[in-house]
Amino acid sequence: MGEENKNNLTEEKSESIQTEDTVKETEQPDKVKTQPEGKKEKPQKTKKERKSRKEEEALAGLSMKGRQKVLEERKEKRRKKWYIALGIVIVVLIAGLLFFDSGCLQRSLTALKVGNKSYSAAELDYYYYAGYNSYSPYATYYGLDTSKSLKEQEIYSGTTWYDYFRDNAKNTLTNVAVLIQEAEKADYSLSKEGQETVDQNLQELKDTCTENGYTVSAYLSASYGRYMNYNTYEKVVTNSQLAQEYETKVKESFDQTDKDVDNYYKEHKAELDTFEYEAYLVPVSTDSGTDADANTEEPTEEETAVAETKAKKGAKALKEAMTAGDEDKIKDLVEEYGATDYSDQAYDSFSGYDFSDWLTDEKREAGDVTSVKYETEDSDEETVLNGYYVVRFEKRYLDKSRDATFRNILVKAEAAKDEKDEAVTEEDGSTVYDYDAAKKTVEDLQKKWQKNGGDADAFADLTEKNSGDTTSSTNGGLYEDAAKDDVSDALKTWLFDETHKEGDYAILKDEDNVGYQLVYFESYSEKYHWQNVCIDALQNADYNDWYEGVAKDYKDSTTSMYHFV
């Protein structure tokens, strides 16, 4: 081989080696396989393409009729698969809706979180409906239409009744949550008496349902919303009882000295003193007529002026009669002018009347008489004269009575019946009651009670099945630390003469409660009623300061489930 050919061969080999090394270096980083020149990789068919080819092969050689039959079978098969898939989706959706509508999510997922406690929409519903149920009997008075959606009625501008009840529910449950967590920090748990109260509450629920033919679940849903069930209700009432107990414990931990009580009295004399006075409202009475379309017609200015003049004249005459102490004249004038009696009301009631400042003036003396206009503003902010208060001051004093603890059994008097077994009425249409029959029943109960021991326990045993007092019949007829203003006139007269000792009893005719009472006295409070009022007020103030201090450490937040309250 010539020298030239050798050199050419060496160069070709070197170039070949270099090319192979270059290819290898190029292949490895990207892991790309280089196909030999002139060869192309055969593309792989997709599953869909392979299936289509297979189906086409199956049709090959078939007659037109045979091909059509196979195609129809394939079409039907695909339709069935689609229906099955759709059915599965619908079943899942229905199951989801049923699960959601069952309230499981509303009872289990968090709607409100306070501190480290979480609460469901169902728990908030308890307080929402508790608020609503307390208002609904007086709906007309508050301007609430229970037949319409609460979301469509405003209690005041920008706030609907729905917002109002839901906000109150949130605030109440937040308060419960704070107290429960503070109780846990203090290692305080529900007392035995508290648990008995809860158990009694739950038993009363079951008894009520049984007596009225309801299931517990139906009753709870009707009373506290469709998401409420027995377990949630039990949890709510237990937490509520614990919160109440701990609140009381905290309040009672604040001691008040006699000096604290005296100072509070000096600052709140008008609220704590008792006022004896005679007061009547002589109204400006105008008759509103109706037009041809039965629409109410407001009185004319002339008619209003006449009515105002008449009221002023009546007030003047009544003031003169009250100054002279002419009781017969006073009675006649009250009837003639249609005056309303506002006499001897407690401070909480009369403090909002226009004569309050005059009556509570410490310079008042027995026999002082005044006449005070009763005025308001209409929608146009114009002053409207509604009438005149005529007031005579008798006396003011600090009532030093003590609260009383007692038990009672009330036997309601039934309406008296005539020979035709029809209710007997007075001339004014009022019902006549058979008090004699009620008295006879009470006397029989007294004998039975004394035969069974004549003590508090024997008395309590008789109350549930025999007392018409629904407030006390389920707790042995017991009233603890009742004040004068808490009881009927018949009970007030007997209980608060402070001559009784434990075990004293009496049978009293009680016209306020339309029946006869068997009353068993237990004890008087250690302090006077006014002192207890002062202590309660001071403890409440201390408690409020304490609560504000601890509540700021508990952050509250709501979730999307809050929408379901």
Side-chain angles (χ1 to χ4, degrees):
M1 185 179 294
E3 189 67 23
E4 185 178 348
N5 290 334
K6 272 185 178 182
N7 290 336
N8 289 337
L9 182 61
T10 303
E11 288 175 6
E12 288 176 7
K13 187 175 182 180
S14 173
E15 185 177 348
S16 175
I17 293 170
Q18 184 178 357
T19 301
E20 289 177 6
D21 291 342
T22 303
V23 170
K24 288 179 181 178
E25 290 173 3
T26 304
E27 284 178 353
Q28 288 194 8
D30 297 328
K31 296 185 180 179
V32 177
K33 292 184 179 180
T34 304
Q35 298 294 329
E37 189 175 351
K39 272 192 173 183
K40 292 185 179 179
E41 183 179 3
K42 188 176 182 178
Q44 293 185 347
K45 293 182 180 295
T46 65
K47 184 177 181 181
K48 184 176 181 181
E49 289 172 335
R50 291 197 301 272
K51 180 180 179 183
S52 178
R53 181 175 178 80
K54 188 175 180 181
E55 289 177 347
E56 287 297 325
E57 290 174 352
L59 293 173
L62 294 177
S63 64
M64 183 64 70
K65 187 175 181 181
R67 289 169 64 88
Q68 187 175 0
K69 181 180 179 182
V70 171
L71 290 173
E72 285 294 332
E73 289 175 349
R74 290 177 182 175
K75 186 177 180 180
E76 183 64 24
K77 187 176 181 180
R78 286 195 297 271
R79 185 183 294 114
K80 287 181 178 179
K81 286 183 177 179
W82 187 85
Y83 283 148
I84 291 172
L86 179 62
I88 291 172
V89 171
I90 291 173
V91 168
V92 171
L93 287 174
I94 292 175
L97 289 172
L98 289 174
F99 177 73
F100 186 82
D101 195 55
S102 70
C104 291
L105 293 178
Q106 291 85 349
R107 288 191 293 269
S108 58
L109 297 184
T110 297
L112 171 67
K113 186 171 183 181
V114 182
N116 60 15
K117 296 289 185 183
S118 296
Y119 299 94
S120 66
E123 290 171 273
L124 277 161
D125 268 353
Y126 172 84
Y127 296 101
Y128 177 94
Y129 284 99
Y132 172 77
N133 292 336
S134 68
Y135 271 78
S136 56
Y138 313 101
T140 304
Y141 176 81
Y142 291 109
L144 172 63
D145 188 344
T146 56
S147 67
K148 296 180 180 179
S149 169
L150 299 182
K151 294 181 179 180
E152 298 174 357
Q153 303 177 72
E154 288 191 343
I155 182 172
Y156 42 81
S157 180
T159 301
T160 65
W161 278 97
Y162 168 76
D163 298 327
Y164 176 77
F165 289 126
R166 188 170 70 158
D167 289 346
N168 280 352
K170 177 177 178 288
N171 293 337
T172 303
L173 186 49
T174 298
N175 174 64
V176 169
V178 169
L179 288 170
I180 286 175
Q181 291 173 83
E182 284 297 306
E184 290 175 350
K185 287 181 182 179
D187 199 27
Y188 181 88
S189 57
L190 190 62
S191 68
K192 179 181 177 182
E193 293 76 16
Q195 186 59 57
E196 289 175 351
T197 299
V198 171
D199 293 341
Q200 182 180 353
N201 185 309
L202 297 174
Q203 188 58 50
E204 286 177 4
L205 166 67
K206 296 173 183 176
D207 292 343
T208 298
C209 291
T210 300
E211 291 168 5
N212 293 280
Y214 301 127
T215 63
V216 171
S217 59
Y219 180 86
L220 289 175
S221 295
S223 300
Y224 300 105
R226 60 183 179 142
Y227 308 132
M228 182 62 66
N229 65 6
Y230 182 82
N231 289 337
T232 303
Y233 179 79
E234 181 179 16
K235 177 183 177 183
V236 170
V237 296
T238 301
N239 285 341
S240 179
Q241 182 65 32
L242 174 58
Q244 289 178 37
E245 276 193 16
Y246 192 68
E247 177 179 329
T248 300
K249 181 179 183 299
V250 173
K251 284 181 180 179
E252 291 178 348
S253 69
F254 299 115
D255 293 328
Q256 309 299 334
T257 65
D258 290 340
K259 185 176 181 181
D260 294 331
V261 171
D262 290 338
N263 287 336
Y264 184 87
Y265 168 71
K266 290 175 183 177
E267 295 172 4
H268 300 83
K269 278 187 176 182
E271 300 168 37
L272 295 164
D273 283 349
T274 297
F275 293 82
E276 292 185 6
Y277 65 95
E278 194 172 10
Y280 300 96
L281 174 63
V282 180
V284 174
S285 297
T286 53
D287 295 326
S288 298
T290 56
D291 59 20
D293 298 322
N295 296 315
T296 301
E297 289 183 325
E298 295 299 323
T300 64
E301 291 184 3
E302 291 78 12
E303 289 172 333
T304 300
V306 170
E308 289 178 350
T309 300
K310 180 180 178 181
K312 185 176 182 180
K313 179 182 177 181
K316 181 181 179 182
L318 187 57
K319 181 180 179 181
E320 291 173 353
M322 291 174 72
T323 301
D326 189 340
E327 297 302 325
D328 291 336
K329 183 68 173 176
I330 292 172
K331 183 178 179 181
D332 291 341
L333 289 169
V334 166
E335 184 176 350
E336 179 182 351
Y337 289 93
T340 304
D341 191 348
Y342 284 84
S343 306
D344 292 339
Q345 296 188 12
Y347 177 84
D348 287 346
S349 297
F350 75 69
S351 59
Y353 302 152
D354 295 280
F355 60 80
S356 176
D357 290 341
W358 179 87
L359 187 64
T360 57
D361 188 334
E362 292 195 49
K363 295 179 181 179
R364 283 281 73 74
E365 294 182 357
D368 286 353
V369 180
T370 191
S371 177
V372 182
K373 288 182 179 180
Y374 170 34
E375 296 177 323
T376 57
E377 287 188 352
D378 61 15
S379 57
D380 297 324
E381 297 185 355
E382 293 185 2
T383 301
V384 177
L385 177 64
N386 301 289
Y388 294 85
Y389 288 110
V390 184
V391 189
R392 180 173 66 189
F393 178 82
E394 300 295 345
K395 63 179 177 178
R396 169 180 179 171
Y397 58 95
L398 180 61
D399 186 352
K400 294 186 177 181
S401 63
R402 302 177 190 273
D403 295 335
T405 295
F406 67 96
R407 296 178 186 272
N408 77 314
I409 295 176
L410 170 66
V411 175
K412 290 278 192 179
E414 301 291 337
K417 299 294 182 67
D418 59 19
E419 295 176 353
K420 297 180 181 179
D421 200 32
E422 294 178 352
V424 180
T425 60
E426 300 282 5
E427 291 183 1
D428 61 1
S430 59
T431 302
V432 175
Y433 291 96
D434 187 357
Y435 280 96
D436 291 339
K439 182 180 181 182
K440 177 67 168 58
T441 301
V442 167
E443 289 173 341
D444 290 342
L445 288 171
Q446 175 200 331
K447 293 175 183 177
K448 186 175 181 180
W449 163 60
Q450 290 177 319
K451 184 178 180 180
N452 292 338
D455 57 12
D457 291 337
F459 195 99
D461 290 339
L462 288 174
T463 56
E464 186 168 358
K465 293 183 179 180
N466 297 286
S467 181
D469 185 346
T470 56
T471 302
S472 67
S473 61
T474 57
N475 69 337
L478 182 64
Y479 280 95
E480 294 185 282
D481 296 325
K484 278 185 176 181
D485 293 336
D486 296 334
V487 301
S488 64
D489 288 341
L491 285 168
K492 183 187 300 183
T493 301
W494 186 80
L495 278 172
F496 294 98
D497 65 5
E498 299 202 20
T499 62
H500 299 298
K501 61 183 182 299
E502 183 177 2
D504 286 354
Y505 68 92
I507 293 177
L508 308 171
K509 183 178 182 180
D510 191 339
E511 294 186 355
D512 290 334
N513 288 302
V514 193
Y516 265 85
Q517 299 258 19
L518 175 59
V519 188
Y520 176 86
F521 178 80
E522 291 198 359
S523 65
Y524 291 115
S525 61
E526 181 181 346
K527 296 182 179 295
Y528 295 127
H529 173 72
W530 72 268
Q531 291 174 316
N532 289 330
V533 171
C534 292
I535 291 171
D536 287 345
L538 290 167
Q539 288 181 335
N540 283 335
D542 288 341
Y543 170 80
N544 290 336
D545 291 339
W546 171 85
Y547 183 84
E548 287 180 11
V550 300
K552 64 184 179 183
D553 295 330
Y554 294 90
K555 305 300 180 184
D556 64 82
S557 60
T558 58
T559 71
S560 58
M561 294 303 294
Y562 188 61
H563 172 75
F564 294 99
V565 178

